[in-house]
Amino acid sequence: MNDALTNPADLEKSDALVLFGISGDLAKKMLLPALYRLTESGKLTVPVIGVAATDWDDDALRRHARDAVVAAGTDIDEAVFSRFAARLSIVAGDFADDDTFARLREAVTGLGFVTHYLAIPPALFTKVAASLAEAGLNRDSRLVVEKPFGHDLDSARELQDELSDYFDNSHLLRVDHFLGNRAVESLMVSRFANTLLAPIWHRSYVDNVQITLAEDFDVSDRGSFYDAVGCLRDVVQNHMLQVLAFLAMDPPSADHARAQGLEKWRVLHATRTMDPADTVRGQYSGYRDVEGVQPDSTTETYFATRMFVDNWRWSGVPFYLRSGKALKVSATEVVVELREPPLELFGGDRDRTQTPPNLIRFRIDGDTGIRADLVVGKAEENTGPMTVPIGVDYAEVLGRQELPYENILHGAVEGDPERFAFFPVIQEAWRIVEPVLAPDEPPLPYAPGSWGPEAAARLPGLRRWHELGARLFDDD
């Protein structure tokens, strides 16, 4: 590995947050509502300076921030918003204009250590980093960049080299907002803090693992962006492989980012590259009619594949991944299917009433929680064994869960690298998907509201996809 896995103690806390792209869609939908929530919880105590190519002044930015918080469904507390608004200011100007960075330098003079957060198109990352350096703003500061980090392995390495000219590895953080999701973090906690689960988490007890990131909505007004990216680059290479790493990694030797990052790298390093023969791509009917989408587009809106991790723990256990737009429900869920008992004692007629497998489900978006499907009743005539779900709804037990971007922004300001993707892990993720980035065949059509192309139900070795409900504890 050619990237230092930084210990949290090595990173400085920030005295100011500079948010490039504060007028953009990501800031409106995610970042500004998260900053308001951080103000509410008392975790945001530093000034926030927006930079955007706009004619806004500070008051216009504050009005926009209020609209963004309201649009996120938050009931505004006026005292909280007053504190939040008082921290907001803007430097308006084009990112290609040196005067913009000169005015930014004036705005942050005397504030101390600064975090520069780039919520802008990836094509601008290097330009902005270079302009920050030219203005002397790469000293006493760090750079945080949004995904995607490259569009393949070579471009990711090139981007890393370019950004490293201006910010060293201990001052460069890469966002994957799934790493800010407490329910994703709970995958690791549940595995390693509970001796109920830890002993069975390997090939002797696990039959297969299914990871689903399903959305019941289409690409909407994001046609131009999505058509250039597709499902594989948008969520599989980053979010879903991060989830796979949490599920499959060995326990870290210590509770800090260096140890966790090393174990993630190890398990992805042991993961085979995706096989085109074990992959299904789909495109929902009507996608090509979306504004911004090419009329002959072959961009996939659905992706499914079978994967293997070739190490001692997981050898021979298939991992099935699927994700798509315009599917039956919105659900991000992991289903771990345990092996069948060695003898069928309670199924009666084996063809009709075979004892169902134990399932362990982790819902990591929406109504987050953990659920185990256990067999508790013996089969009666013409019926199967009774399966009962038991589990925990995180909202009921833990209360309101922070928005992922609350944790990302707090980590960016506080200097907590655990919430960010390490470059060695990013490299392995791109290596894994490399063989399926440029497919020879067009995607298969599927109807909106379905579970994707029928071929996805016939992936090699797959007996069935486990049904997902709209909520974790809905009956299947």
Side-chain angles (χ1 to χ4, degrees):
M1 292 182 294
N2 59 5
D3 183 77
L5 296 178
T6 310
N7 190 308
D10 296 334
L11 300 190
E12 305 91 332
K13 291 187 177 181
S14 301
D15 302 297
L17 172 65
V18 174
L19 180 52
F20 285 84
I22 200 167
S23 64
D25 193 56
L26 178 63
K28 179 179 180 180
K29 293 181 178 178
M30 299 293 179
L31 302 181
L32 289 168
L35 289 169
Y36 171 85
R37 287 291 194 179
L38 288 172
T39 304
E40 182 180 49
S41 64
K43 294 180 179 178
L44 181 68
T45 59
V46 302
V48 178
I49 302 163
V51 184
T54 180
D55 59 359
W56 293 353
D57 58 13
D58 292 351
D59 287 339
L61 172 60
R62 290 161 184 162
R63 290 193 297 271
H64 176 75
R66 174 182 285 274
D67 292 342
V69 174
V70 170
T74 302
D75 293 330
I76 286 184
D77 181 312
E78 292 300 337
V80 173
F81 188 81
S82 179
R83 296 198 304 272
F84 177 40
R87 296 191 177 102
L88 290 174
S89 62
I90 191 166
V91 173
D94 194 292
F95 300 154
D97 188 347
D98 291 343
D99 288 343
T100 302
F101 294 87
R103 283 183 279 112
L104 176 59
R105 183 174 59 233
E106 293 177 8
V108 301
T109 296
L111 292 180
F113 192 88
V114 177
T115 289
H116 300 289
Y117 192 111
L118 305 192
I120 58 179
L124 297 174
F125 288 171
T126 301
K127 168 59 182 170
V128 170
S131 296
L132 287 169
E134 188 174 344
L137 292 169
N138 63 334
R139 296 189 293 271
D140 294 321
S141 68
R142 66 172 146 263
L143 188 70
V144 182
V145 297
E146 271 285 344
K147 78 168 186 72
F149 198 88
H151 57 85
D152 58 17
L153 182 57
D154 288 341
S155 62
R157 287 171 172 164
E158 182 179 0
L159 179 58
Q160 173 69 14
D161 289 343
E162 291 172 349
L163 295 179
S164 294
D165 288 339
Y166 312 111
F167 292 86
D168 60 37
N169 281 323
S170 62
H171 294 92
L172 175 61
L173 299 176
R174 308 159 196 86
V175 173
D176 183 328
H177 74 259
F178 260 43
L179 298 178
N181 186 327
R182 290 288 187 187
V184 173
E185 180 186 52
S186 291
L187 291 172
M188 182 176 65
V189 177
S190 297
R191 287 187 54 203
F192 301 135
N194 295 291
T195 52
L196 180 69
L197 293 180
I200 65 171
W201 219 254
H202 61 81
R203 57 191 175 88
S204 296
Y205 293 93
V206 175
D207 182 89
N208 69 86
V209 179
Q210 300 180 12
I211 307 173
T212 299
L213 196 167
E215 296 171 326
D216 63 4
F217 49 87
D218 58 22
V219 300
S220 186
D221 58 355
R222 300 172 70 235
S224 296
F225 162 78
Y226 196 89
D227 205 42
V229 178
C231 182
L232 178 60
R233 289 182 170 91
D234 189 35
V235 298
V236 177
Q237 179 272 337
N238 37 69
H239 302 333
M240 298 190 77
L241 290 186
Q242 288 285 354
V243 170
L244 185 147
F246 274 119
L247 281 168
M249 63 188 272
D250 280 335
S253 59
D255 183 21
H256 60 66
R258 176 182 298 160
Q260 292 177 18
L262 178 59
E263 295 305 331
K264 288 180 185 177
W265 176 83
R266 281 176 173 164
V267 75
L268 291 184
H269 188 66
T271 301
R272 295 182 204 171
T273 56
M274 291 181 179
D275 186 344
D278 290 356
T279 297
V280 172
R281 297 167 65 246
Q283 185 185 92
Y284 68 80
S285 300
Y287 170 74
R288 296 181 184 180
D289 298 328
V290 174
E291 183 177 355
V293 172
Q294 295 297 315
D296 58 350
S297 173
T298 59
T299 297
E300 78 285 346
T301 62
Y302 177 95
F303 183 88
T305 192
R306 179 179 69 163
M307 300 178 62
F308 289 96
V309 179
D310 292 326
N311 64 9
W312 191 272
R313 180 186 291 268
W314 295 112
S315 178
V317 176
F319 287 74
Y320 295 99
L321 278 63
R322 62 174 172 173
S323 181
K325 297 281 190 183
L327 297 182
K328 188 174 182 179
V329 300
S330 286
T332 303
E333 188 168 311
V334 173
V335 181
V336 179
E337 179 179 335
L338 302 184
R339 293 192 182 279
E340 296 178 358
L343 291 177
E344 178 59 72
L345 299 177
F346 308 111
D349 183 337
R350 185 174 180 86
D351 293 334
R352 291 186 299 160
T353 58
Q354 185 174 355
T355 303
N358 292 149
L359 304 178
I360 302 174
R361 299 175 180 264
F362 298 89
R363 181 66 68 103
I364 56 180
D365 198 16
D367 60 321
T368 56
I370 179 172
R371 161 180 163 174
D373 292 351
L374 303 181
V375 178
V376 299
K378 186 175 179 180
E380 298 179 1
E381 186 176 357
N382 297 322
T383 68
M386 180 182 295
T387 299
V388 174
I390 62 173
V392 177
D393 183 321
Y394 292 158
E396 290 184 3
V397 174
L398 304 175
R400 189 189 81 86
Q401 297 291 285
E402 302 97 330
L403 300 169
Y405 271 105
E406 289 179 55
N407 295 318
I408 293 295
L409 288 165
H410 188 243
V413 171
E414 291 296 303
D416 181 2
E418 188 175 332
R419 303 295 181 192
F420 299 91
F422 292 113
F423 187 59
V425 172
I426 292 174
Q427 286 192 103
E428 290 301 328
W430 280 122
R431 175 193 62 79
I432 290 167
V433 304
E434 192 82 14
V436 295
L437 286 175
D440 296 327
E441 300 295 328
L444 301 172
Y446 65 95
S450 69
W451 275 112
E454 293 181 2
R458 301 190 297 272
L459 283 174
L462 178 66
R463 292 189 295 275
R464 66 190 177 285
W465 288 103
H466 292 292
E467 192 74 16
L468 306 184
R471 295 182 57 82
L472 179 59
F473 290 99
D474 282 351
D475 293 332
D476 290 340

